[in-house]
Amino acid sequence: MAKPKTPLLDELEKGPWPSFVKDIKQAAEKKPMARDLLGQLELSYQEKIGHWKHGGIVGVKGYGGGVIGRYSDRPDLFPGVEHFHTMRVNHPTGWFYTTEALRKVCDIWDKHGSGLTNMHGSTGDIILLGTKTENLQPCFDDLSEAGFDLGGSGSALRTPSACVGPGRCEWACIDSLDICYNLTMEFQDQVHRPMFPYKFKIKVSGCANDCVAAIARADFSIIGTWRGKIQIDQKEIQAYAASGLDIREEITGLCPTKCMSWDEKGKTLSIEDADCTRCMHCINQMPKALRQGKEKGASILVGGKAPILQGAQLSSLIIPFIKLESPYKELKELVLKIQDWWDENGKSRERLGELINRLGMRTFLKAVGLKPAPQMVKTPRANPYVFFWPEEIKKEGR
Amino acid sequence: MAKTDIGPPNYRNFMPPVMQKNYGQWKYHEILQPGLLRHVAESGDELYTVRAGSGRLLSTDHLREICEIADKYCGGYLRFTSRHNVEFLLTDRGKVDSLLAELKSKGYPVGGTGHSITSIVHTQGWVHCHTPATDASGPVKAVMDELYEYFVTMKLPSQLRIALACCLNMCGAVHCSDIAILGIHRTVPKPDHSRVPNVCEIPTTVAACPTGAIRPDPKAKSVVINEEKCMYCGNCYTVCPALPLADAENDGISIWVGGKVSNARTAPMFSKLVIPYLPNNPPRWPETVAAVKNIVEVYARNGRKHERMGEWINRVGWERFFQLTRLEFTDKHIDDFTLAPDTYRTTTQFKWG
């Protein structure tokens, strides 16, 4: 079969950044599917339009998700991509691999699919990009044999993800990797069999830097934090100052709560810890000199999402501080309680954050048994439309 | 029959021994040069991380090449970051330079640490999506070619995170990025009345619309779309392939800036609209590339050290941002969705520009 002519895509082989076109061409050397992908993509570049149809229901035995059906709308021109379904494979937490395991995935995908991947998809899964319907089950069987499993899709728990955490980072206040892995294993049924009003995402970040964007992207966001005093090594602070870091300008001057001061003469940093909101700025700049407080745990926030449907939302704080230790019983109970309430009350395609908006945070807190706290809001209510629970109102004749 | 519900492999078995040994016992780290991190554990053990950029769409042969490099320098261990970078993990400082040299010779950009631009998080676009308003990999490649120097250096005021989503469903969740490149449709789906009765289930199609813009047309056994209500999300096309949404002449790209995820200094922020529409101009999207580059350069000149894009804009004001970037301010920039009044200026305090 002749190589498709791709004058437009060839332009994207130029330049210093790694070229995806080179990767598709590399796969096209071996795979007719990749060759037709290249041809169809060139057509899209000519016509400025996509050429994929959404699939019907395709999948593997026993699962309701993990495969995204995709069909070409020009199978006449590109028969190799007539079906081109994606398999989402649950990544190893923290995206760690041995070359042995990664090669196994490559071999399986060369055998059953297009030889093209995304490392990784937006939610974190390994994306195996494009195969035929009849290859799905054999591919899954081989993946399972190699120790891999599918991730979530549709109205399911999507593959949870976590930052590198205690694997490498001194700022991990919680074992983000273990929490993520443990929840993933616990909730396998929720991942593989869509049963919710819409998608549900869990992301775990070890500190407020939030390297997995839990606050922006997860319905249930677990973000590490601490209580107590930031540990200061004055000698190391002095070393940073001596090496050219302007402590006043770059550290105390940028502290959002102005809870710290720098004594230029005595070369000492002092922190009013009660005023600190643990934003991480000073610690980020001076990791050798400043360490988080010793009592570590997490803040829990809920309801984050991208715009569809009612607009984007950030997650909102519902638990200021919780200690998280394996097997995370309290955490799992909370997740289930929240999902139950959402499942019971949510409309089709209504994310948790939107449901909380519709029914009110007070209703949510009551349903999941959390006590209101000033930490949960930026300001109290400014309008007079206050609702009281029936039991709070005196009834006549009682 | 294959085993189901086995979950992912246990990450612990995929960690290099130095990480297993010092798990949770890391003391501090430093950035030795762009793309090279040194982590030191309480035990005194050291870990060197070399971070290389990636196009995200990787062939299995490309992955095997990455594996060969990891075998040669890292004892067969590697990881990826949440932003598609690949990280080579070493304990032997002596091997770092030869690894860097090999990556350079093979065309892997090394960088993406500290005050740099790191790999662009993005979606599928024309490679694999059914509702894209633009391609994803193409614009990303074109933008990163132009901004390459900011990946391999750390000369920006702060980190700069760029993300691209090829339609407003935002699989890429670009809504909290320093710069977001977002594909937009601008015209309603066009029902193919000859095909709707055969390939679509009418009630499902009607129910698929988040804004209630679709109603049945029993006479034609098809549907009618209310142009006023439609927000071009493509959900109906997902369930009814006879409702094509794509419009080659009107689809395009919008640019949003000033979002952040991290809680450092300031709270996380959403990205805000600064360019409502740029045409799709494959293969290299020159208008989009120029627009992003302009914003990056204005920020690089004006932002103070450690100031993220949104923090800089909040300090100087949006009126100053539009003046400095010479971007036109239009009625599209003024919100008219649910929380719009929160964005109107309700004070006499403003700058002239």
Side-chain angles (χ1 to χ4, degrees):
Chain A
M1 190 172 144
K3 281 184 194 169
K5 285 208 169 58
T6 54
L8 292 173
L9 289 172
D10 294 350
E11 287 299 311
L12 289 169
E13 289 190 81
K14 299 170 186 169
W17 191 252
S19 168
F20 70 100
V21 175
K22 284 185 183 162
D23 280 77
I24 302 179
K25 286 191 174 179
Q26 203 171 26
E29 293 289 325
K30 301 198 274 197
K31 292 283 182 176
M33 269 187 227
R35 211 172 297 148
D36 275 352
L37 175 69
L38 198 64
Q40 180 173 308
L41 190 58
E42 179 74 12
L43 184 65
S44 283
Y45 270 60
Q46 285 165 14
E47 297 178 349
K48 300 196 274 188
I49 213 157
H51 282 287
W52 298 107
K53 295 189 290 189
H54 195 272
I57 294 164
V58 287
V60 300
K61 270 181 262 170
Y63 284 8
V67 180
I68 315 299
R70 196 68 82 222
Y71 299 88
S72 169
D73 70 1
R74 296 305 307 269
D76 52 327
L77 297 176
F78 309 107
V81 290
E82 181 170 8
H83 324 169
F84 201 61
H85 312 313
T86 297
M87 299 184 83
R88 287 188 185 160
V89 178
N90 197 326
H91 64 289
T93 308
W95 300 285
F96 288 99
Y97 294 92
T98 58
T99 52
E100 189 194 351
L102 194 51
R103 282 198 181 96
K104 251 189 226 166
V105 174
C106 290
D107 293 346
I108 292 169
W109 195 231
D110 277 350
K111 185 173 157 198
H112 298 291
S114 68
L116 287 166
T117 74
N118 291 146
M119 301 297 283
H120 294 80
S122 296
T123 299
D125 298 283
I126 303 168
I127 303 295
L128 300 179
L129 202 61
T131 193
K132 293 179 188 307
T133 309
E134 61 268 28
N135 295 351
L136 293 170
Q137 189 65 44
C139 185
F140 172 75
D141 293 347
D142 283 357
L143 284 166
S144 173
E145 183 68 34
F148 284 87
D149 200 347
L150 298 187
S153 70
S155 296
L157 174 62
R158 301 299 183 88
T159 302
S161 72
C163 68
V164 71
R168 186 180 60 195
C169 185
E170 68 270 25
W171 298 328
C173 292
I174 47 175
D175 192 339
S176 52
L177 295 169
D178 187 56
I179 294 166
C180 178
Y181 181 66
N182 192 309
L183 294 182
T184 304
M185 298 308 279
E186 174 86 17
F187 296 133
Q188 280 294 294
D189 192 33
Q190 299 193 347
V191 172
H192 294 135
R193 291 161 202 96
M195 55 179 103
F196 294 138
Y198 202 12
K199 64 181 91 167
F200 193 88
K201 298 192 174 190
I202 299 177
K203 292 184 187 291
V204 196
S205 279
C207 79
N209 287 321
D210 195 1
C211 287
V212 286
I215 206 165
R217 305 190 55 175
D219 299 87
F220 192 88
S221 319
I222 305 169
I223 302 178
T225 193
W226 69 90
R227 302 181 76 136
K229 284 180 178 303
I230 291 180
Q231 306 170 65
I232 309 176
D233 184 336
Q234 298 289 357
K235 259 197 198 146
E236 290 292 349
I237 302 248
Q238 287 152 14
Y240 276 111
S243 71
L245 183 77
D246 186 332
I247 307 280
R248 184 150 292 163
E249 183 86 16
E250 297 183 46
I251 308 297
T252 59
L254 293 177
C255 171
T257 62
K258 306 290 175 233
C259 70
M260 46 188 8
S261 58
W262 171 237
D263 175 359
E264 193 75 60
K265 268 193 204 145
K267 304 279 179 207
T268 46
L269 184 80
S270 47
I271 301 177
E272 189 54 61
D273 286 277
D275 287 341
C276 171
T277 51
R278 303 167 312 286
C279 83
M280 287 297 293
H281 174 75
C282 59
I283 298 174
N284 287 344
Q285 303 313 320
M286 304 193 293
K288 261 184 182 174
L290 296 177
R291 311 195 71 181
Q292 297 144 322
K294 286 180 178 165
E295 192 186 352
K296 290 175 178 157
S299 298
I300 306 289
L301 302 89
V302 297
K305 59 182 282 295
I308 295 287
L309 259 20
Q310 303 290 331
Q313 281 179 227
L314 295 165
S315 279
S316 307
L317 185 71
I318 58 160
I319 297 184
F321 189 82
I322 181 173
K323 291 215 168 183
L324 294 179
E325 272 146 28
S326 185
Y328 316 110
K329 189 165 170 278
E330 199 184 343
L331 184 72
K332 288 171 187 167
E333 283 170 3
L334 179 67
V335 170
L336 289 173
K337 231 188 266 178
I338 289 173
Q339 287 173 341
D340 273 354
W341 178 76
W342 173 53
D343 208 19
E344 190 115 318
N345 296 284
K347 297 181 193 168
S348 167
R349 296 175 67 81
E350 189 172 46
R351 292 279 289 270
L352 174 63
E354 289 161 342
L355 177 63
I356 292 174
N357 285 355
R358 182 162 64 83
L359 297 186
M361 183 60 96
R362 68 175 192 130
T363 311
F364 168 77
L365 292 175
K366 192 175 190 190
V368 300
L370 291 171
K371 201 170 167 288
Q375 283 82 2
M376 295 177 183
V377 295
K378 288 175 197 154
T379 74
R381 176 198 298 273
N383 62 65
Y385 311 124
V386 184
F387 291 92
F388 289 87
W389 300 108
E391 62 270 22
E392 292 170 327
I393 302 300
K394 280 185 195 163
K395 297 260 166 57
E396 239 177 290
R398 270 199 218 163
Chain B
M1 173 93 182
K3 273 192 227 158
T4 59
D5 301 281
I6 61 172
N10 190 332
Y11 66 97
R12 280 270 194 166
N13 302 329
F14 288 1
M15 276 183 169
V18 64
M19 290 173 111
Q20 300 202 23
K21 179 186 162 198
N22 296 288
Y23 194 87
Q25 299 296 320
W26 295 97
K27 196 171 173 193
Y28 68 91
H29 78 279
E30 52 195 352
I31 306 175
L32 298 177
Q33 65 187 66
L36 177 60
L37 307 171
R38 173 176 173 259
H39 285 83
V40 179
E42 301 283 1
S43 66
D45 288 353
E46 294 181 334
L47 171 70
Y48 295 90
T49 300
V50 173
R51 182 177 294 171
S54 142
R56 185 178 95 124
L57 201 173
L58 302 176
S59 70
T60 45
D61 283 343
H62 190 168
L63 279 170
R64 288 189 184 96
E65 181 184 88
I66 292 169
C67 287
E68 271 166 39
I69 299 171
D71 280 343
K72 195 164 159 190
Y73 298 95
C74 313
Y77 295 93
L78 70 150
R79 77 176 285 265
F80 290 82
T81 71
S82 56
R83 300 190 78 89
H84 315 318
N85 298 303
V86 54
E87 287 186 339
F88 297 96
L89 309 163
L90 305 82
T91 45
D92 185 353
R93 177 75 205 256
K95 286 185 179 172
V96 169
D97 286 340
S98 38
L99 169 60
L100 290 171
E102 176 151 359
L103 289 172
K104 193 173 179 187
S105 75
K106 292 197 154 88
Y108 291 82
V110 171
T113 52
H115 292 179
S116 70
I117 293 177
T118 188
S119 294
I120 298 181
V121 169
H122 62 280
T123 55
Q124 300 289 15
W126 294 334
V127 169
H128 206 253
C129 180
H130 67 298
T131 59
T134 184
D135 188 32
S137 304
V140 163
K141 159 75 174 148
V143 167
M144 283 310 286
D145 277 341
E146 193 67 28
L147 298 177
Y148 185 81
E149 62 168 306
Y150 294 105
F151 183 87
V152 296
T153 59
M154 303 193 292
K155 59 183 183 182
L156 287 167
S158 188
Q159 293 93 317
L160 197 144
R161 301 284 178 254
I162 306 179
L164 180 147
C166 50
C167 82
L168 48 68
N169 285 305
M170 279 195 205
C171 302
V174 302
H175 56 292
C176 294
S177 307
D178 293 285
I179 300 180
I181 304 168
L182 177 66
I184 49 162
H185 297 289
R186 300 191 298 164
T187 51
V188 302
K190 293 161 278 294
D192 177 347
H193 296 303
S194 65
R195 287 177 66 221
V196 172
N198 300 323
V199 297
C200 308
E201 204 191 37
I202 306 290
T204 322
T205 308
V206 170
C209 180
T211 65
I214 304 177
R215 62 186 168 80
D217 178 358
K219 252 189 211 164
K221 290 185 180 161
S222 183
V223 293
V224 184
I225 296 180
N226 181 338
E227 300 206 6
E228 302 270 302
K229 281 188 179 173
C230 172
M231 61 177 188
Y232 327 119
C233 71
N235 278 312
C236 56
Y237 180 59
T238 300
V239 300
C240 173
L243 290 177
L245 174 70
D247 179 338
E249 293 316 310
N250 285 296
D251 292 348
I253 278 175
S254 57
I255 307 286
W256 307 65
V257 311
K260 77 194 267 277
V261 164
S262 151
N263 287 269
R265 297 172 305 282
T266 50
M269 293 186 259
F270 289 129
S271 315
K272 314 291 196 302
L273 180 68
V274 293
I275 303 177
Y277 177 75
L278 294 167
N280 269 331
N281 198 353
R284 297 202 68 101
W285 281 265
E287 296 85 356
T288 298
V289 171
V292 172
K293 193 177 187 195
N294 172 45
I295 293 166
V296 170
E297 286 178 343
V298 171
Y299 161 67
R301 277 199 300 275
N302 292 279
R304 289 182 187 158
K305 196 169 178 187
H306 303 301
E307 226 169 27
R308 292 284 290 264
M309 176 81 72
E311 294 173 313
W312 161 60
I313 297 171
N314 282 346
R315 176 169 59 81
V316 301
W318 284 98
E319 57 272 45
R320 176 76 48 82
F321 172 87
F322 278 92
Q323 185 195 51
L324 289 170
T325 53
R326 299 182 188 190
L327 293 173
E328 189 192 358
F329 189 85
T330 71
D331 55 5
K332 316 286 178 298
H333 293 92
I334 303 177
D335 194 357
D336 46 20
F337 198 54
T338 44
L339 301 173
D342 287 354
T343 65
Y344 304 159
R345 194 182 298 271
T346 52
T347 161
T348 58
Q349 299 177 11
F350 60 87
K351 293 176 187 172
W352 300 111

